[in-house]
Amino acid sequence: MVLSVHGKHALITGGGSGINLAFSRLLLEKGCSVIIGDLKLTAEAETLLSKFPHPPRDGQSASVVFQQTDVTSWPQLSGLFAAGLAAFPTLDIVVPGAGLFDPPWSTFWQAPRTATNPDSPSRDEADAQVGHYAVLDVNLVAPIRMSQLAIGHWTQKKEKGCLVHVGSVAGYLAEAATPLYFASKHGLHGFVQSLENLRDELGIRVSCVAPGPAQTQIWSKDQDRAEEILQDCHWVTVEEIVQAMYELVVADEYGDGTILEVTRGATRVVPKHNAPPPMPGSVSMPGMAGFHKKLFDSLRTKGLMV
């Protein structure tokens, strides 16, 4: 069974650029209206808003709305959801897509700034009650909170719905160079798989796309390191990832905690238990070895400043 997105309404965080912007465009072209939540819009996103104004022009079936949103702020996140319900009759599809890699201002290897670590580039709060890392707040906590808002709405209104999360092959791999990013995706995959029964019990479909490295603006947060890590990388195209996300929405067999891996030229559903690694050569980041060596050379000579 193939489901239709025409006449439906979606909320997408991180839709101001990259993969989530491309997915927003695809939905709009297929007649699904979208509210985008992001810190800002790229010029490409501005063009999309001009092409699909809200309310729709005569002859158009879909429109797009933008709400400036910091997904680490719960008032702003819940405000985005409320804005979506104000603009549209309901929200059928929710994509908590905003994400970070490991920017230098939020990484395990640059601990938050303290009296004993005054030169750290970290912007994470050292004196927070529990402690926060932006990578975890954006990649894991915010999607969980958005899922609560969506599932709360659908269960209270007795409606069906579809959640599509944006994970990564990092969700079942590991690398010391960027442990917070890997931890965030491991956690997100576990969260999605834990909600598998919502599809058959409540008609709420929950899934996650898990792409290999894609050449998007997520890497621009730390251009020098990105160029080092990603040299000769096996890129997945944005189009391949977006098509997989669309399949998670429209293909009825998905949505029961599905993790859909996307590597160059191939997709597969990742088993919940004892999953084999991606096919040899399908995920290749040769530059990571040099970054790994540099990290451990620094740890041996200088140690970790905290």
Side-chain angles (χ1 to χ4, degrees), residues 9 20 27 32 61 63 67 76 79 81 87 94 98 112 156 168 194 203 215 240 249 303:
H9 308 87
N20 299 297
L27 291 181
C32 176
S61 58
S63 62
Q67 171 113 343
Q76 290 189 42
F81 203 88
V94 173
Q156 291 170 35
S168 168
S194 296
Q215 199 164 13
E240 287 175 301
V249 173

Side-chain angles (χ1 to χ4, degrees), residues 104-179:
W105 47 266
S106 181
T107 170
F108 180 78
W109 301 114
Q110 294 288 354
R113 191 172 298 177
T114 61
T116 56
N117 187 31
D119 299 322
S120 174
S122 176
R123 300 205 302 259
D124 295 317
E125 301 175 43
D127 58 352
Q129 188 67 32
V130 182
H132 290 274
Y133 286 94
V135 173
L136 298 179
D137 287 345
V138 172
N139 290 3
L140 182 58
V141 180
I144 290 172
R145 182 58 170 156
M146 181 55 73
S147 298
Q148 289 176 316
L149 291 167
I151 294 168
H153 171 72
W154 292 327
T155 54
Q156 291 170 35
K157 298 295 183 182
K158 310 302 182 196
E159 295 177 357
K160 296 181 179 181
C162 180
L163 270 163
V164 176
H165 290 272
V166 180
S168 168
V169 293
Y172 38 90
L173 301 176
E175 168 54 51
T178 55

Side-chain angles (χ1 to χ4, degrees), residues 182-198:
F182 279 77
S184 72
K185 297 304 182 181
H186 273 258
L188 183 62
H189 287 198
F191 173 72
V192 168
Q193 291 176 325
S194 296
L195 300 183
E196 62 180 349
N197 294 327
L198 270 67

Side-chain angles (χ1 to χ4, degrees), residues 79-93:
L80 171 65
F81 203 88
L85 294 176
F88 307 131
T90 190
L91 291 168
D92 308 282
I93 302 160

